[in-house]
Amino acid sequence: MIHFLHIVWAIFFIIISIVVVYGIIPTVVMRPLFFRGAKPSGDAKEQICLTFDDGPSAMYTNRLLDLLKKYHVHATFFVVGERASEHSELLKRMTADGHLIGIHHYRHLSNWFLTPTGTRKQCNMAADAVEAITGVRPVYYRPPWGHINLFLPLEAHSFRIVLWSAILGDWRKKLGKERLKRRIYRHLRDGALICLHDDGENPGADNDAPENTIAALADIFEETAGRYQFVTIDELFQNRQSVKFSINI
């Protein structure tokens, strides 16, 4: 029995060591390379980039698109490939409304638990799904949960990896609309690249959390009308030098 337990602990230690070396250490070391925003432009109107991960969602994405259209806001959506295929009409609307589409993976899987080939396959399948619907192949890629593995820069070399300047925990329903509003307001500055979510069906997220996100943004758009220009990642980086940001919640 003791010998069996030693074997079990040895296997457990090996697995944990592999995850640490293959996933956790590369994430800690490489993440600063991909925390992006843009240097202030000096223009009269501050430019903010809102990004939305994990969709499209049959329940929330159309409502979010209605809100963005009402206030003439352009955003960037990092979509999950299989959900894009299931809700192709939402991707067509994103494109028609002037939004930019990037990719997560085909399924919402962590790079810590994907082989190098698996990472490449997930990226390409997601990009293929988006291209089949919109006719445009995505350029930007955001790894799910911001997880990076040892070979990600090589396997995803055909995409531009972009994380965020602020990620605000809006996948938790208990955060509430008012606390989320305060967090968003703290990061509304020229060149900011803010990560939010239009779907709550992934592990660790609350299904109804996007209610807070939509409600908080509705208030913010109304309260700041005309002060900010909300743009896509392409528009934010155009004629600007992208810069690194540390995570700040």
Side-chain angles (χ1 to χ4, degrees), residues 4-24:
F4 173 75
L5 289 176
H6 285 167
I7 293 174
V8 171
W9 277 110
I11 293 173
F12 177 76
F13 178 77
I14 291 171
I15 292 172
I16 294 300
S17 299
I18 291 172
V19 172
V20 169
V21 172
Y22 181 71
I24 296 177

Side-chain angles (χ1 to χ4, degrees), residues 143-178:
W145 294 291
H147 288 178
I148 296 166
N149 66 37
L150 194 59
F151 298 100
L152 180 65
L154 295 176
E155 299 302 332
H157 69 277
S158 58
F159 302 96
R160 186 171 181 182
I161 302 170
V162 176
L163 292 185
W164 47 74
S165 63
I167 184 167
L168 306 178
D170 68 319
W171 58 86
R172 297 189 297 264
K173 176 67 173 179
K174 68 179 182 180
L175 180 64
K177 182 188 81 168
E178 293 303 322

Side-chain angles (χ1 to χ4, degrees), residues 35-52:
F35 282 109
R36 295 292 181 187
K39 285 186 176 180
S41 65
D43 295 337
K45 188 175 290 188
E46 297 177 87
Q47 290 189 331
I48 312 293
C49 183
L50 297 178
T51 67
F52 298 94

Side-chain angles (χ1 to χ4, degrees), residues 46-84:
E46 297 177 87
Q47 290 189 331
I48 312 293
C49 183
L50 297 178
T51 67
F52 298 94
D53 290 6
D54 298 354
S57 161
M59 183 175 297
Y60 295 111
T61 302
N62 246 333
R63 290 171 53 194
L64 176 60
L65 289 171
D66 287 342
L67 178 66
L68 299 177
K69 187 172 185 178
K70 177 180 177 180
Y71 289 96
H72 309 288
V73 171
H74 288 166
T76 302
F77 289 82
F78 289 96
V79 302
V80 176
E82 64 178 350
R83 291 183 187 149

Side-chain angles (χ1 to χ4, degrees), residues 198-216:
D198 63 324
D199 185 275
E201 296 183 7
N202 297 303
D206 298 324
N207 287 341
D208 50 354
E211 291 283 358
N212 290 333
T213 304
I214 293 172

